Amino acid sequence: MPAFEKLSIPCTFVQDNHSLSVPAFTLRGLHFQTPPRGQDKLVRCVRGAIFDVAVDIRKGSPTYGQWVGAELSAENGHQLFIPIGFAHGFVTLEDNCEVSYKCSDTYAPENDGGIRWDDPAIGIDWPMPAGTAPELSPKDAVQPLLADFDSPFPYDGRPLAPLA
């Protein structure tokens, strides 16, 4: 049995992405691709440290709008699997962070979507010093709130799994 299947990761990865964020507290997200081009992602930090987040955006899910997060670093080697139907984002915890992630579909700009990183209805506890404003891309600064988002992702019965 392949290693991903043993971990209940039932997808084939077809694209690898690599990003560099130079200043600490650069925030990317919350991103997803809509059907029919949804993406499962397997994320790891290969240089530096990030706080990585997944938000359940599956319509009808009992955990809709809830999030899980984990620190991923080159030192700890941890990875986070983000299934289709979850928005993904991260904040860098130090300068010069490199993030590598595998995707189950290629990038499709017409299916690109996002939710605001600071949506109070989601309430992500981003680990940034008090008074610190994250470095945002213009795209991430204007994403819609969850309340203004009509999710195309159906609930598939899988619970929002706790992080071990």
Side-chain angles (χ1 to χ4, degrees):
M1 174 181 280
F4 289 136
E5 285 182 28
K6 288 180 186 176
L7 297 170
S8 299
I9 298 175
C11 62
T12 301
F13 296 112
V14 298
Q15 178 174 300
D16 290 318
N17 297 333
H18 192 104
S19 72
L20 168 65
S21 299
V22 175
F25 308 113
T26 297
L27 198 144
R28 305 283 185 222
L30 302 162
H31 302 146
F32 52 86
Q33 274 192 190
T34 58
R37 301 295 302 273
Q39 292 178 318
D40 293 305
K41 296 176 184 175
L42 183 62
V43 183
R44 67 188 181 118
C45 183
V46 296
R47 183 167 75 170
I50 64 170
F51 184 71
D52 203 46
V53 173
V55 179
D56 188 349
I57 56 172
R58 299 170 298 165
K59 188 180 286 186
S61 170
T63 54
Y64 184 81
Q66 294 181 26
W67 63 277
V68 295
E71 184 173 321
L72 309 180
S73 70
E75 185 176 321
N76 70 24
H78 295 171
Q79 298 180 71
L80 186 62
F81 178 67
I82 316 288
I84 293 171
F86 287 75
H88 171 248
F90 65 86
V91 65
T92 61
L93 302 176
E94 53 191 69
D95 292 339
N96 299 309
C97 289
E98 291 185 59
V99 177
S100 176
Y101 52 102
K102 296 185 157 307
C103 298
S104 64
D105 200 346
T106 57
Y107 177 63
E110 65 279 8
N111 295 87
D112 193 33
I115 301 290
R116 274 191 65 88
W117 67 276
D118 60 347
D119 187 329
I122 300 170
I124 298 171
D125 186 16
W126 296 104
M128 295 184 288
T132 300
E135 182 79 26
L136 297 171
S137 71
K139 170 182 144 180
D140 290 340
V142 297
Q143 295 289 2
L145 296 171
L146 186 61
D148 299 325
F149 171 65
D150 183 20
S151 179
F153 300 102
Y155 179 55
D156 57 9
R158 290 184 298 171
L160 175 66
L163 298 173

